[in-house]
Amino acid sequence: LNIQFYGYNAFLIETGDKLLAIDPGAMFFYWFRFTSLFPRSKWKDITHVFITHGDPDHYWHADRVAKASNAQVIFNSTMLRAVNGKLLALGPRAKGVSFTTEFNNIHTLTVDETIEIDGMAIRGVKATHGELLLKIGPFTTIVKPGAEERIGWGALGFDINVNGRRVLNLGDTLLHREEWEKYSGPDVLMIPIGGKVAHNTMNEEEAMQAVKTLNPKHVIPCHYNCPGLFSKSLNPADEEMFKLKVEELGIPCSILHAGDELNLYRENHMASQAGGTD
């Protein structure tokens, strides 16, 4: 299980003959740019695309990636709507809540629903996108999710069981301790920690509560210190403090920067050698 991280919540997971892409989005209008988070050289090899919600930093290039690779696309059923006899998805680059885009090979699911695709079992996990606080110079704007608001549209986490490993990606979400108890014990937990200032996700302390509830075998913090608008860090977090607290629970925690990769087989093998075997 090889995991590559590209900032925000953008992950590539390589296992066997599959290359899974989570949230093929773009930099959030960083100095007027929506640069692809995934290298374009990787697009054609992706076999499955998972979309946690419709914000630009998670969804901007989803249709382009799917077209380049003919990948299977998995997202919340609320990301689709019938329009003039066609089943259309929320437009990745459309303004507001507009359903304008056709995808091939779509699979939808809802919270607690499980679907099977190409030997994978995928379960929808409750996620709630929080309000987003944006500061531009002396001005502050708060954008709240709602029926007519684009932010957080289709929020859903994924519990992905592939080749005997469980990868749990929560997307952008607030804390749901009770609802997440049923997802305990994933091999990998990808969890947002950058909600202290922006309030759109959990902060470090809330994410620690989630870790204690979910009891994963390995933790990767994400969606923090992201470039956006005119800031190098739109959602700051103390990742080293978070890592220390996670490892105090006896759980390995990997801090990945854009372009870093983590091979879990190699990590587990090295840990076994260090600890000895029976």
Side-chain angles (χ1 to χ4, degrees):
L1 194 68
N2 190 68
I3 296 171
Q4 301 167 33
F5 181 57
Y6 291 98
Y8 295 79
N9 189 49
F11 289 92
L12 286 178
I13 303 168
E14 186 175 4
T15 175
D17 60 350
K18 298 177 178 63
L19 183 61
L20 317 180
I22 299 177
D23 286 350
M27 287 190 179
F28 183 58
F29 204 47
Y30 184 51
W31 290 98
F32 307 106
R33 293 178 296 162
F34 283 108
T35 305
S36 174
L37 297 176
F38 292 132
R40 292 176 186 266
S41 60
K42 301 276 188 181
W43 286 12
K44 64 181 177 13
D45 299 320
I46 290 168
T47 59
H48 301 80
V49 173
F50 294 80
I51 299 162
T52 64
H53 63 289
D55 287 359
D57 51 319
H58 299 257
Y59 186 47
W60 190 263
H61 292 290
D63 57 331
R64 294 165 173 167
V65 171
K67 183 177 180 180
S69 61
N70 198 33
Q72 310 281 332
V73 180
I74 303 100
F75 49 41
N76 195 330
S77 59
T78 60
M79 294 284 285
L80 285 179
R81 186 171 292 178
V83 180
N84 297 325
K86 290 186 177 181
L87 199 58
L88 299 180
L90 184 71
R93 294 165 299 281
K95 292 183 178 180
V97 183
S98 301
F99 293 79
T100 61
T101 303
E102 287 190 83
F103 280 92
N104 296 320
N105 306 320
I106 289 176
H107 304 271
T108 65
L109 71 167
T110 57
V111 174
D112 290 337
E113 180 184 5
T114 300
I115 60 175
E116 294 188 6
I117 305 171
D118 298 334
M120 295 184 291
I122 303 160
R123 191 175 184 184
V125 180
K126 182 176 178 65
T128 302
H129 197 290
E131 66 185 32
L132 181 61
L133 185 148
L134 297 174
K135 292 184 177 181
I136 305 175
F139 303 102
T140 299
T141 300
I142 297 176
V143 185
K144 296 183 178 181
E148 302 301 323
E149 178 54 58
R150 174 65 178 258
I151 185 173
W153 191 275
L156 187 71
F158 296 104
D159 186 356
I160 306 167
N161 193 323
V162 55
N163 290 341
R165 298 288 190 106
R166 282 180 57 214
V167 177
L168 179 56
N169 184 291
L170 297 175
D172 282 9
T173 183
L174 304 176
L175 179 64
H176 292 290
R177 287 196 71 168
E178 292 184 6
E179 292 89 340
W180 291 343
E181 288 178 354
K182 67 190 78 167
Y183 302 107
S184 179
D187 291 282
V188 184
L189 172 64
M190 299 165 173
I191 186 168
I193 66 170
K196 183 177 292 184
V197 173
H199 306 313
N200 56 330
T201 74
M202 292 176 280
N203 58 31
E204 304 98 310
E205 291 77 14
E206 292 161 337
M208 275 304 306
Q209 294 181 52
V211 170
K212 291 175 182 177
T213 296
L214 290 164
N215 192 29
K217 296 181 177 66
H218 205 113
V219 172
I220 303 175
C222 59
H223 212 272
Y224 66 94
N225 295 343
C226 303
L229 299 175
F230 303 101
S231 171
K232 290 184 178 180
S233 181
L234 196 64
N235 46 2
D238 187 343
E239 70 272 33
E240 293 293 346
M241 179 271 288
F242 177 77
K243 173 181 170 70
L244 181 63
K245 288 189 174 182
V246 170
E247 293 184 341
E248 285 176 353
L249 299 176
I251 302 171
C253 180
S254 295
I255 295 174
L256 302 181
H257 302 100
D260 288 350
E261 34 182 292
L262 173 69
N263 188 301
L264 282 185
Y265 172 79
R266 183 170 62 243
E267 294 287 326
N268 293 343
H269 181 66
M270 291 174 65
S272 296
Q273 285 187 324
T277 57
D278 294 334

